[in-house]
Amino acid sequence: MIKNIKGTKDLLPETTYNIQDIENHLNRFMYIHGYGEIRTPIFEATDLFTRSVGENTDIVNKEMYTWQDQNGQSLTLRPEMTASVVRAYIQKQLWKTEPISKFYYIGPSFRRERPQKGRLRQFHQFGVEAIGSSNPEQDAEIISIAYNIYQMFGIKELSIKINTLGSDEVRPKYIEALKKSLSKFKSAFNKSEYERLQKNPLRILDSKNKDIQSLINEHAPNIFDYISKDDKQHFKKVLEILDTMEIPYTQDKNLVRGLDYYNRTVFEVVSDTLGGQDALCGGGRYDKLIQQLGGAEIPAIGFAAGMERLMLAMDLENNQIVQTDIYIINVEEDLIEQSMLLADDIRKNLGVAVYVDSLRRSLKSQLRHANKMNAKYTIIMDSETVKNKTVVIKNMSEKIQESIKLNNIVSYFESE
Ligand code: HAM
């Protein structure tokens, strides 16, 4: 038997109903904030990710799904979407027509990680990118959007971790100092950690290894002592706006993120409900990326959120989705046409969901199915219907039922 690939999932209606509901909320939420949806292809030239996410990152080094096309071009399933958005932005030269572009996206991304709870090989990201403003209010808007989305979905115990990486001009000095201070303790590192310290020293700051963490706390220089006055002012203003907007955060000087394109503000939203150390979402500024990929010098900031992690935090397991509004129960063969006609009539007139059984099941098992679908009402058609042109309408939650004339069904629901 052919099975799905490890780390991917088939989503059945009980899950997709929830996803559609979340997406509807997200679409509306972004619309009221002035962000429009962008959809880019799920595969791109491999170079796009090596040049943006960074050659020495875990994503590019070991997690990308990459293959040679028939014509020898190297292609990659997107491991994230910021690079694609930036590529599209540059390709369409949008800065020439709009001083600022605000996008959001929802779609699959692919990373060959070790699958576990909240970590998949095909996962789904919801993300937001604001391209064009270098001002701190743009950072605060992005962070508040991230926070308020989780609030909207009722996620508890939220916290925002925030840090600044300073600008590109000063960061190399910090990186050098960091490398120098920690390289002295070579014996405390295992081989891959030491390699990371040499190749991508910033990433060592968010090492999960307790010994390394205490080494960092004791000996690593603080990035704040290296960044410029402008960087500090920018960060201070971001925090001030967040304070005014009553968005809670904690500063975390070791927060660096796993992608190379960041500068200045970086942040993550975490929730205890996820259990692990995994972030619900993460993002930051990437003021140099557009230029680096061949566009003009345009600042930008954004974040992306894992949809699966959002759904885990929402704890949807026991969420009883209403899968139909009205379930028409019919057990008479000669009422089949009439029940189908009635279903269409209600759908057309009221725009509500109506379900009709096509298995000719018994009254009892159709009722059971209606309950399983969490139907709000059932309409029971039987021999009485044939005789008196009436049906029984049952309000499933209030457990009351009434006998209603066939001709009056639509107006009955109109007044409900
Ligand atoms: P990221 O931190 O790599 O950032 O991913 C963002 C979010 O995607 C994570 O916080 C997590 O919720 C989710 N995620 C990542 N990998 C997986 C996985 N294997 N399984 C399930 N969920 C996952 C980015 O991707 C940046 N593009 C964010 C950004 C946008 N920065 C600026 N703009």
Side-chain angles (χ1 to χ4, degrees), residues 10 14 40 108 132 192 199 246 248 251-252 284 287 301 321-322 348 410:
D10 298 312
E14 58 262 34
T40 59
S192 74
K199 284 193 178 155
E246 294 179 1
Q251 283 188 51
D252 179 349
D287 294 333
I301 179 163
I321 292 275
V322 172
K348 279 179 193 148
V410 169

Side-chain angles (χ1 to χ4, degrees), residues 59 79-83 105 111 113 118-125 127-129 150 257-259 261-262 268-269 278-286 301-309:
I59 297 177
E80 60 106 51
M81 280 136 103
T82 310
Y105 46 79
R111 295 183 194 175
E113 297 196 76
R119 190 175 293 280
L120 290 138
R121 290 183 170 177
Q122 175 175 336
F123 59 102
H124 296 78
Q125 278 189 335
V128 177
E129 314 289 350
Y150 293 109
R257 314 264 310 119
L259 305 93
Y261 48 62
Y262 294 113
E268 281 180 0
V269 178
D278 284 333
L280 281 172
C281 77
R285 270 208 168 273
Y286 50 95
I301 179 163
F303 76 88
M307 293 286 280
E308 287 79 8
R309 293 188 191 175

